[in-house]
Amino acid sequence: MKRYLWPLFLIVSLILTAVFGYGFASAYNDVVNPPKRAVLTPTKEELVKKGGTYVALGDSLTRGVGASNGNSYAAIVGRKLVKKDRVERFQNLAVSGARTEDLLKQLKQKEVRRTLSQAKVISVTIGGNDLFNRGEGVANFNAKKTAATIATAQTNLAKTFKILRKENPDAVIFYVGLYNPFRASENGQAFDAIVQEWNAKSRTLGLKYDIEIIDTFNLVRDVKRDLSSDQFHPNDSTYEDIANAAILAVEKRF
C-alpha cells in the first residue's frame, strides 16, 4: 500500500506547484501590465453648473432712479432670486440715459458678452429714452418723426434680443415694457396708443427669441400716485410691482 502513496504524493505536489506558479505569474503580470478595464474606468465627477448670476441691462429704470432707497426693480428681483437660491449673485450693468443704440454698443464689449454668456437670468429695460427723448418727443409731438423713431428703435431692440439669445441660449431673459409717464400732458393721451404699439411689437420679438415681456403699461395709471417726484421714473411701490411681475415670469421658467 505504501508503494502507491509515494507516486500519489508526487503527483499532488506537482499539481500544487503548477497552480502556485500560475498564480504567481498572473499576479506579476497584473502588476507590470495592469488590465485595461482597470486603467480606463472613468471616475464619476459632478459637472460644473453653468451660470449663477442675474445680469441686468438697460437704462435708469434698471439703475433705480426715482426710488427713495435706490432699489430698482432689478435690485429687488436680484435679492429675491438669491433668497430663493435661483442665482448666486446680481450684477447691474445698466447706464442711466441709455438708448437702444447705446445698449448695442455696450453689447459689443467682450467682457459684457462673456458675462452674459455665463448668466442664468438676464433682464433689459430700454426704449423709453428713444421714444420720449426726455419729454421732447411728447411736447413737440410729430407723428411722422415718432413713427421713424419707433422703427429705428425696434430694429435695435430686435438686434439686442438676437445678440442676447445667441450669447446665451439657455438663460431666462425678460424685457420690461414701456408705460406712458406723460399721460397728463397735452399730447400725453396720444402716446397711450404709441406705447401700446411699442409693447405689442416687443411681445412679437419676445416670442421670436424666447424672451419674456413684462407689461408695465397698466402699472402706471396715475402719474402722481405711481411715479416718483420727477413724474417720469417709478416710485418705490411701482418698482416693487414691476419686480413682482418679473419674478412671476422668471419663476415659471425654472
Side-chain angles (χ1 to χ4, degrees):
M1 185 69 179
K2 290 183 179 180
R3 63 179 180 176
Y4 294 109
L5 291 176
W6 174 249
L8 180 61
F9 175 77
L10 182 60
I11 293 171
V12 171
S13 297
L14 290 172
I15 293 173
L16 291 176
T17 300
V19 170
F20 175 77
Y22 175 78
F24 178 80
S26 297
Y28 177 79
N29 185 62
D30 284 347
V31 172
V32 177
N33 301 301
K36 289 185 178 180
R37 61 178 180 277
V39 175
L40 299 179
T41 300
T43 56
K44 293 182 179 180
E45 297 180 0
E46 185 177 353
L47 296 175
V48 177
K49 294 181 180 179
K50 180 183 179 182
T53 306
Y54 162 37
V55 179
L57 299 166
D59 49 29
S60 54
L61 266 71
T62 299
R63 292 307 320 173
V65 176
S68 62
N69 50 12
N71 282 332
S72 68
Y73 79 89
I76 299 170
V77 169
R79 284 198 302 273
K80 291 185 177 183
L81 290 178
V82 170
K83 187 176 181 180
K84 291 174 177 285
D85 292 326
R86 298 302 191 191
V87 299
E88 297 175 359
R89 54 197 172 276
F90 163 58
Q91 190 170 359
N92 196 333
L93 300 181
V95 179
S96 293
R99 300 189 181 195
T100 54
E101 64 265 26
D102 299 317
L103 180 54
L104 283 176
K105 291 177 182 178
Q106 185 182 26
L107 292 177
K108 291 181 180 180
Q109 300 174 23
K110 290 183 179 180
E111 186 61 26
V112 171
R113 290 205 179 199
R114 185 191 66 80
T115 299
L116 292 171
S117 69
Q118 298 176 350
K120 194 173 182 181
V121 179
I122 301 170
S123 68
V124 184
T125 58
I126 206 72
N129 292 316
D130 297 68
L131 187 59
F132 300 119
N133 191 25
R134 298 180 181 180
E136 292 181 13
V138 179
N140 303 310
F141 176 64
N142 181 293
K144 187 176 181 180
K145 186 176 180 179
T146 299
T149 297
I150 291 176
T152 300
Q154 278 286 323
T155 298
N156 291 339
L157 186 64
K159 291 177 181 179
T160 297
F161 284 6
K162 184 177 181 179
I163 291 171
L164 293 179
R165 191 47 79 193
K166 180 181 178 181
E167 290 298 322
N168 197 324
D170 303 319
V172 178
I173 305 177
F174 67 92
Y175 169 76
V176 177
L178 304 185
Y179 56 83
N180 182 8
F182 297 103
R183 182 170 288 159
S185 65
E186 182 179 353
N187 298 317
Q189 292 295 326
F191 264 75
D192 271 359
I194 293 171
V195 171
Q196 287 178 316
E197 179 187 359
W198 173 278
N199 290 337
K201 290 181 177 180
S202 300
R203 280 191 291 272
T204 300
L205 289 175
L207 289 173
K208 181 177 180 179
Y209 294 102
D210 191 27
I211 293 175
E212 293 283 341
I213 307 299
I214 310 302
D215 185 8
T216 65
F217 183 82
N218 292 320
L219 297 181
V220 179
R221 287 293 189 183
D222 187 326
V223 295
K224 292 183 179 180
R225 180 195 65 197
D226 302 324
L227 298 180
S228 63
S229 58
D230 65 9
Q231 294 191 354
F232 184 79
H233 296 93
N235 56 22
D236 293 343
S237 178
T238 302
Y239 270 129
E240 188 77 37
D241 290 340
I242 295 173
N244 289 335
I247 284 291
L248 288 175
V250 171
E251 281 293 322
K252 71 181 183 181
R253 293 298 191 107
F254 284 105

